[in-house]
Every structure is written in C-alpha cells, then in structure tokens.
C-alpha cells in the first residue's frame, strides 16, 4: 500500500491538472514517459482514469492506445482484437507515422497472444510500412520491438534466415534508439538462427563478438552468459579443453548459478555438463548431470546420455531400460518438428503484400475465406508432393541397397570360390615341386653310378629323367603364374567387397537397431512372441520379411551374421530375434523350441561370433557388433 500511495497521489494531481487545462495530454504524456522504466506505474495511472466513456474520441483513442502499450510492457492481458480494431482504424486516418506504427504493432501483439502467428506477422509488417525512418523523430524504439517480435515468431516457425534478417534490423533500430544493451542482445540472439542453419563458424564468431561487445560496455555477467550453444558444439566436436574454458567462465561469472545450481530457464545446460564429463571419462559425474537434466524436463539429451553411458559400461539392464525411453524422446522431438512444419506452411503467406491484402480481407469476408481455402489447398498439395517425393526417394534407396546387397553376395561367393581354387592350386604346386625334387634326386643317383653293361639303357633313363624335370619346371612356372593371377583377382574382389560394405553403410546412414523399431515386420514378430500358444507361428514369408528389414536397415551386420560365422538357420533366427529385443520366452514361442534349447542356441551363437559361451551376453555383444559395422564413415 505504501508503494501505491505515491502513484495514487500522482494520478489525483494529474487528474485535477487535466481538468483545469481542459484536456488529458499531461496525464498521457506522464504515463507514456513511465513506460520504459516503470510500466506498472504507467498502467496504474491509466487504469485510474476510470470509465473512458466520458472522454472525447481523440482522448479515448489515445487512452486505449497507451493502455494497450502499458499492458504489453507489464505483460498483462491485452484488449480484445475487435475492441482494438477501432484504435487502429482511427490512427490510420488521424495519427502520425509514429502513432500508426505503435497501433499496428500492438495490434500484432494481440494476435501474437492469441496464437495467430501469420496474422501477427502481417500486422507487424503493416507497422513497418507505416514508419517514416527519414524523420528526425522516428520511433526507433518501437521499430526495434517490432522486428524483435518478428524474429521470435520466425524462430518458432523454424525460419532461421528470416529470423536472422529480423534480428539484424532490430539491432539497427536499437542503435538508433541509443539502446546499446538491446543491440548487443540482438547480436547474441543471432547465434540461434546460425545454429539452425548449421553454420558453426558463424556461431562461434557471433558468440565471441557478443562477448566482446558486452565486455566493452562493462556488462560482465551478460558476457559470460553467451556461451551455451558454443559449449554444446565444442562438446559435439570432442574439443573438451575449449569447452571447459567456456564452461568455467559461464558457470563462474554469468550469475545464473547459485551453489552450483543453474536457474530453471537455463536447465538444459545440464545435458552439456553431462556430455563434458562423459567425454573426459568421468562417468559418475556425467550420470549425475544427465539425471539432473531429466529432472528439469529435458528427456532427449538426458536419455541419450544415460543410454550412451550404460552402453559404454555394458550394463545390459540399464541399456534395455533407456533405449526405448530415448527412442520415445526422439519420436516426441520428431512430432514437435512436424508441428513446426505446419507453422512453416502457414508462414508462406506473402507478408510483403500483407497490408493491401488485409484491407481487402477486412472489407470482403468471402474473399478471405477463398484465400484461406487456397492456402490450405496449396499446403495440402505441398504435403502430398512431399510425401510422394519422400516415398520415391525411399523406394530408390531400398532398390539401391538391394542391388548392392546382391552384388555383395555375388562378390562374396566369387571370393570364396577363388580362395578354394587358390588353395587347390597351392596344393598342386607343392605336389609338382615334390615330384620335381624326387626326379632330381633320382637323376643325381643315375649320374653317380659307374658305367657298366647297361650304359646305353642308363643313358636313355637319364635323358628321360632330365626331360621330366624340364617338363615339371615348366608346369611349376605356369602354376606360379596362375597363382599370381588368382592372388591378384582375390585382392581385387576383396577391395570390391570392402567398397560394397562402405557404400551400404553410407546408404543406411550409420543406422542402428533403433531404425528397425518402427518397421511393420518387427511389430509382427513381437506380437507373435507375446501371444504364446494363442498366436500363429511365423511362416517363410514372415522370416523373409525380417531378413529384408535387417538388410535394408543394417545390411553390413546382417551379411556378417549370415555369412561370416557358420551359423545354422536356427542360430541366425535366434540372433535376429535377440537383436529386435525379443526375450528368451518369446524366442521359445516363435521358434517352437524349449527354453533350454533357446539358451543353448544363444550360447552357441555367442561362442561362434564372440568366443563367449554365456547366453546372457549375446544381446549386448550383438549391439556392439552393429555399432562397429555401421559406424558412419568420417
């Protein structure tokens, strides 16, 4: 009450003064002058004027305009769209350029609060067109706010280039309004669209520029607060020393931490803390910060980090727990992106022509409905075309993967055949060399005998042995040449085999088991595993579908599993069911085998592939194998 008394006294004094002057201009001027520093006081003054019905139209319009301005500054509810429309139309006819800018800006803020982003942007653009930027009294402060609000809407609609342009204009008007702090804030906010545009160089350059500007104007806390995005990018790049330097300045000097706890609005930073400690192998600290991020409501980064930690530690139960939670958080993020895509479609409206179109729309309701219908049709066509192009791309990609897989199989077969031929040639060469050595030994014995009665016979025998040795030498040389050719062909086939593996990895984009979760065939198998005796057993078509799904999503792993370890068909199927998360009981139901038989199958697969006879370790070993074979090429 004591704080409100001076305001009440000021209102009474001004009202008395206004009555003696015959107007309310002094009261309006005082309220307007308080807007920037004390909007609540300005609001008290304007609301204290009572019923506006007693005011003349000029004063009533001014009062409604300033009241809306004060409520916007004080983050209080704005008047209704229909009530404020009269103010906009009045100032369009009777106001100065600054009045019109202010009226259309507040009109846009009303649409913003109603969640109507396209109409808000339209009205902000109208406000811009009303301005006379060449005039000495141009209201640059309001234009700064107009472009700032436009930047926020472009950000929410996922339009980073438009957001960056609006922030640049907001900063220009902030400088002209002598508002240095807001100018630097606009520079700092440019980090946001640059990050969305994946321009990491611009992110780091802008971060440093904003920090230097803040320090130049002795704003030390603000200077230390600019780092979170740069920190996150450095951590993703694995440059932990640079990230630590920025983290130290941010945590010590930003004023956002109390006893090591960051304020809730910046709590997403806990995921970056977890990333840092995971990167420097302090896994207990990393887990602590990931769990804090989860408690603060940031599941995506938290589940990703916890899954990474437990995968590193090989804690299977925790991996099983957090893998689906991480996948769920990814799906939720994707849903959020789809929502943003809808807003992007709305944002295709031509804002540069919005003033003229809005005038026609206000006068012709039917025209408005027609235009909105056209926009929806356009959006629908765009959506259909997007789906068609995506499906076409997906089909082409699947065909390319299948073609490469067939070529890979053929190369594998040729490689095996050539290895077999090479082995046979080497055995034949050894036999020939052995025969040649025996012939040479026999020739030596013949040459060492003393001449006797059978000298002519011995000479013929010696000639025959010499001729045989020569023939054997020629055969050995030919066999050597053939061996060299086979070895060259083996090297070529091995290189082609490696090339196909790399191309398969690139086509699948380094996907892991998470990519299989959404496929229909995996759902079919999981349902059969859970239904027990009530459900059907998989047929050949089902198994072929599962093989194809693995070939499409993790081809290098599937081919390795199928060809490289001598697994039987039953062992292969057991391994695939393990990979998609079917438990032992489910595998038993799907394969129609006893629990002990399934345990033996899992142990056998684990021994053949990893030299480990423990059935319980098979799933984690298979997942590590997938990650290794499908790690994206640098």
């Amino acid at each position: 009450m004591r704080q409100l008394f001076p305001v009440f006294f000021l209102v009474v004094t001004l009202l008395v003064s206004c009555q003696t002057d015959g107007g309310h201009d002094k009261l309006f001027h005082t309220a307007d002058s308080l807007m920037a520093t004390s909007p609540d006081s300005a609001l008290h003054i304007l609301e204290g004027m009572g019923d506006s019905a007693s005011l003349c139209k000029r004063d009533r319009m001014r009062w409604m305009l300033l009241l809306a301005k004060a409520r916007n500054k004080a983050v209080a509810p704005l008047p209704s769209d229909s009530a404020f429309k009269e103010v906009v139309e009045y100032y369009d006819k009777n106001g100065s350029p600054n009045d019109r800018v202010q009226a259309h800006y507040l009109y846009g803020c009303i649409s913003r609060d109603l969640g109507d982003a396209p109409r808000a942007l339209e009205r902000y653009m109208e406000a811009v067109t009303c301005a006379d930027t060449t005039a000495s009294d141009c209201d640059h402060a309001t234009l700064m706010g107009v472009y700032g609000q436009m930047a926020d809407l472009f950000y929410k609609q996922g339009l980073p280039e438009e957001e960056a342009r609006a922030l640049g204009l907001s900063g220009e008007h902030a400088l002209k309004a002598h508002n240095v702090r807001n100018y630097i804030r606009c520079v700092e906010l440019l980090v946001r669209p640059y990050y969305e545009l994946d321009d990491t160089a611009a992110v780091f350059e802008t971060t440093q520029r904003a920090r230097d500007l803040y320090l130049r104007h002795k704003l030390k806390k603000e200077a230390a607060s600019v780092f979170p995005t740069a920190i996150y990018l450095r951590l993703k790049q694995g440059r932990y020393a640079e990230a630590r330097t920025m983290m130290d300045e941010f945590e010590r000097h930003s004023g956002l931490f109390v006893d090591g706890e960051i304020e809730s609005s910046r709590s997403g930073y806990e995921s970056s803390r977890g990333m840092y400690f995971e990167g420097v192998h302090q896994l207990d600290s990393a887990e602590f910060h990931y769990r804090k991020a989860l408690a603060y409501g940031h599941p995506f980064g938290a589940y990703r980090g916890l899954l990474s930690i437990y995968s590193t530690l090989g804690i299977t139960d925790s991996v099983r727990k957090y893998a689906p939670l991480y996948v769920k958080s990814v799906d939720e993020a994707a849903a959020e992106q789809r929502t943003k895509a809808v807003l992007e479609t709305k944002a295709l409206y031509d804002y540069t022509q919005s003033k003229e179109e809005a005038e026609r729309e206000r006068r012709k309701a039917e025209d408005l409905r027609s235009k909105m219908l056209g926009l929806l049709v356009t959006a629908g066509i765009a959506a259909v075309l997007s789906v068609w192009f995506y499906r076409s791309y997906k089909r082409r990609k699947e065909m390319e993967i299948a073609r490469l897989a067939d070529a890979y199989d053929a190369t594998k077969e040729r490689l095996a055949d050539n290895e077999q031929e090479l082995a046979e040639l080497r055995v034949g060469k050894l036999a020939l060399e052995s025969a040649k050595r025996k012939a040479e030994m026999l020739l030596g014995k013949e040459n060492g005998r003393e001449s006797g009665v059978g000298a002519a016979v011995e000479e013929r025998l010696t000639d025959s042995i010499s001729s045989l040795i020569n023939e054997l030498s020629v055969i050995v040389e030919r066999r050597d040449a053939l061996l060299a050719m086979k070895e060259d062909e083996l090297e070529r086939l091995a290189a082609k085999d490696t090339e196909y593996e790399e191309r398969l990895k690139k086509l699948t984009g380094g996907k892991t088991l998470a990519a299989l979760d959404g496929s229909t065939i995996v759902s079919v198998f999981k349902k059969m595993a859970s239904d027990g005796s009530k459900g059907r057993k998989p047929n050949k078509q089902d198994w072929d579908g599962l093989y194809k799904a693995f070939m499409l999503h993790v081809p290098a792993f599937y081919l390795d599993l199928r060809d490289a370890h001598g697994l039987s068909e039953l062992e292969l199927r057991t391994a695939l069911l393990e990979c998609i998360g079917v438990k032992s009981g489910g595998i038993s139901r799907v394969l129609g085998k006893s629990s002990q038989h399934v345990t033996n199958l899992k142990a056998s697969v684990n021994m053949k592939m990893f030299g480990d006879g423990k059935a319980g370790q098979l799933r984690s070993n298979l997942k590590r194998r997938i990650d290794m074979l499908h790690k994206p090429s640098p």
Side-chain angles (χ1 to χ4, degrees):
M1 288 297 294
R2 289 180 179 178
Q3 292 176 341
L4 292 176
F5 181 76
V7 175
F8 176 76
F9 181 76
L10 178 61
V11 171
V12 172
T13 303
L14 287 168
L15 284 172
V16 172
S17 173
C18 288
Q19 293 302 318
T20 58
D21 282 349
H24 299 85
D25 289 346
K26 287 185 179 180
L27 187 63
F28 293 149
H29 177 75
T30 301
D32 200 15
S33 66
L34 290 169
M35 293 288 184
T37 57
S38 184
D40 289 335
S41 298
L43 188 58
H44 282 301
I45 291 171
L46 294 165
E47 289 178 342
M49 292 179 64
D51 187 4
S52 65
S54 61
L55 301 174
C56 67
K57 185 170 185 178
R58 169 185 171 277
D59 288 351
R60 183 163 56 88
M61 294 297 104
R62 175 62 60 181
W63 177 78
M64 291 179 69
L65 180 71
L66 291 176
L67 184 63
K69 182 178 179 181
R71 286 180 175 176
N72 191 49
K73 292 278 188 181
V75 197
L78 292 170
S80 68
D81 189 275
S82 57
F84 201 73
K85 180 181 179 182
E86 182 185 4
V87 178
V88 175
E89 290 176 348
Y90 173 82
Y91 282 108
D92 276 345
K93 294 178 180 177
N94 305 290
S96 67
N98 288 344
D99 291 333
R100 293 199 296 274
V101 169
Q102 189 70 247
H104 284 280
Y105 168 58
L106 292 169
Y107 207 22
C109 291
I110 292 170
S111 296
R112 173 203 65 197
D113 289 354
L114 291 173
D116 191 346
R119 191 175 295 277
L121 281 169
E122 172 189 326
R123 289 171 176 175
Y124 290 146
M125 289 297 294
E126 287 172 346
V128 170
T129 60
C130 291
D132 181 6
T133 55
T134 63
S136 59
D137 65 340
C138 178
D139 188 358
H140 293 290
T142 299
L143 288 171
M144 173 190 74
V146 172
Y147 284 114
Q149 290 294 322
M150 290 172 66
D152 283 343
L153 289 176
F154 285 134
Y155 167 67
K156 291 172 184 175
Q157 291 180 332
L159 300 168
E161 292 179 347
E162 287 79 359
E163 180 192 1
R165 194 175 299 114
L167 284 171
L169 291 167
S170 182
E172 288 179 17
H173 286 288
L175 277 181
K176 291 177 181 178
H178 308 293
N179 192 331
V180 175
R181 184 187 288 264
N182 269 9
Y183 165 69
I184 305 174
R185 177 64 177 157
C186 288
V187 173
E188 180 187 355
L189 285 174
L190 281 169
V191 167
R192 194 168 61 187
Y194 290 149
Y195 175 81
E196 293 298 324
L197 291 167
D198 202 26
D199 191 347
T200 54
V203 168
F204 293 124
E205 179 184 348
T206 304
T207 299
Q208 188 62 43
R209 181 184 169 205
R211 177 179 178 272
D212 292 343
L213 285 168
Y214 277 131
L215 290 175
R216 189 183 305 166
H217 292 86
K218 297 181 171 40
L219 299 170
K220 295 183 180 179
K221 287 184 179 180
E222 289 83 352
S225 301
V226 301
F227 288 114
T229 302
I231 289 169
Y232 176 71
L233 289 176
R234 284 297 186 227
L235 291 171
K236 284 185 68 178
Q237 294 170 346
R239 296 165 71 167
Y240 299 108
E242 294 178 46
R244 182 71 262 176
T245 300
M246 291 186 285
M247 290 170 75
D248 287 342
E249 184 171 348
F250 177 61
E251 294 174 14
R252 293 175 184 173
H253 304 301
S254 66
L256 299 172
F257 294 78
V258 178
D259 296 329
E261 294 291 329
I262 192 169
E263 67 175 40
S264 59
S265 64
R266 300 289 194 101
S267 56
Y269 176 68
E270 290 295 339
S271 292
S272 293
R273 281 175 146 179
M275 288 175 66
Y276 171 75
F277 286 111
E278 184 183 0
V280 297
H281 309 297
Q282 297 182 30
L283 299 186
D284 289 342
S285 296
E287 181 182 3
F288 173 77
H289 287 291
Y290 282 139
R291 291 193 181 279
K292 284 180 70 175
L294 185 60
Y296 278 126
H298 301 281
F300 180 81
Y303 287 140
R304 180 183 59 192
L306 291 170
L307 179 60
S308 176
I309 288 174
Y310 291 127
S311 296
T312 300
L313 295 173
I315 303 177
T316 310
D317 291 342
S318 295
V319 170
R320 280 199 297 267
K321 174 182 176 181
Y322 286 104
L325 291 173
Y326 172 59
V327 171
K328 181 182 177 183
S329 71
V330 172
D331 290 340
E332 290 172 350
E336 184 178 347
Q337 287 299 112
R338 286 193 294 273
T339 301
K340 287 184 178 180
V342 173
L343 291 174
E344 280 187 49
T345 303
K346 288 184 179 181
L348 295 175
Y349 190 83
D350 185 3
Y351 295 110
T352 60
Q353 301 297 323
S354 62
K355 186 173 187 294
E356 181 182 352
E357 291 176 3
E359 285 295 326
R360 290 198 300 270
E361 289 167 356
R362 280 195 292 268
R363 296 189 180 110
K364 299 177 183 178
E366 281 298 323
D367 190 36
L368 171 62
R369 285 194 291 270
S370 298
K371 283 184 169 64
M372 291 304 294
L373 179 61
L375 182 62
L376 289 173
V377 169
T378 301
I381 292 172
V384 170
L385 287 175
S386 297
V387 170
W388 184 82
F389 279 119
Y390 172 74
R391 287 181 176 174
S392 297
Y393 163 75
K394 188 176 179 182
R395 281 196 299 270
R396 289 196 302 272
K397 186 173 179 180
E398 289 178 355
M399 290 174 62
E400 177 66 8
I401 290 174
R403 187 187 67 77
L404 279 174
D406 291 342
Y408 181 80
D409 277 348
T411 302
K412 281 282 188 187
E413 291 178 6
R414 290 176 61 194
L415 196 58
D417 292 343
N418 275 271
E419 287 174 346
Q420 180 66 30
E421 289 180 21
L422 187 62
E424 291 173 358
L425 285 170
R426 284 172 176 160
V427 170
K429 177 186 174 183
L430 291 174
L432 288 169
E433 289 177 340
S434 176
K436 180 182 174 183
R437 283 194 299 272
K438 288 179 180 179
E440 288 173 343
M441 290 173 61
L442 181 61
L443 180 61
K445 288 180 180 179
E446 288 297 324
N447 289 335
R449 287 184 185 176
E450 293 181 1
S451 300
V453 178
V457 174
E458 288 175 1
E459 183 177 353
R460 286 195 300 274
L461 181 59
T462 299
D463 290 342
S464 297
I465 293 172
S466 297
S467 177
L468 176 61
I469 289 172
N470 290 335
E471 289 178 6
L472 286 172
S473 296
V474 171
I475 294 172
V476 168
E477 287 177 3
R478 289 175 180 171
R479 191 60 56 94
D480 284 341
L482 188 56
L483 276 170
M485 289 174 59
K486 285 294 179 184
E487 286 172 350
D488 288 343
E489 187 173 359
L490 273 174
E491 287 183 9
R492 182 179 59 79
L493 288 172
K496 190 170 286 294
D497 181 69
T498 303
E499 177 194 344
Y500 286 146
E501 284 186 2
E502 290 301 317
R503 289 172 65 184
L504 283 168
K505 285 183 187 179
K506 288 179 180 178
L507 274 174
T508 54
K511 292 180 180 177
T512 59
L513 286 178
L516 282 165
D517 282 351
S519 61
T520 303
I521 191 63
V522 169
S523 300
V524 169
F525 269 89
K526 286 185 175 180
K527 187 175 187 303
M528 286 190 282
S530 63
D531 283 348
S533 58
K534 300 178 182 178
R536 69 177 181 84
K537 295 291 185 293
N539 54 32
K540 183 178 182 302
Q541 185 178 1
D542 295 324
W543 286 113
D544 289 344
L546 187 63
Y547 299 154
K548 181 181 178 182
F550 271 83
M551 177 63 82
L552 289 175
H553 290 89
V554 281
F557 167 75
Y558 174 69
L559 293 171
D560 173 75
L561 192 70
R562 190 190 68 184
D563 301 331
H565 307 284
L567 300 183
S568 68
E569 185 174 30
L570 204 55
E571 288 171 338
L572 173 65
R573 291 177 175 181
T574 301
L576 295 181
L577 292 172
E578 275 286 302
C579 287
I580 63 174
V582 178
K583 295 182 179 179
S584 295
I587 296 175
S588 177
R589 286 189 283 273
V590 171
L591 297 180
K593 304 296 180 183
S594 68
S595 298
Q596 185 58 50
H597 194 169
V598 169
T599 300
N600 293 341
L601 286 169
K602 289 164 66 175
S604 177
V605 173
N606 209 22
M607 176 59 72
K608 288 181 178 180
M609 292 187 68
F610 307 107
D612 180 357
K614 297 177 181 177
Q617 296 297 317
L618 177 59
R619 184 169 299 173
S620 59
N621 287 339
L622 288 171
K623 287 183 178 179
R624 280 195 291 272
R625 185 74 172 172
I626 289 174
D627 291 339
M628 180 189 74
L629 291 174
H630 286 271
K631 182 179 180 181
S633 301

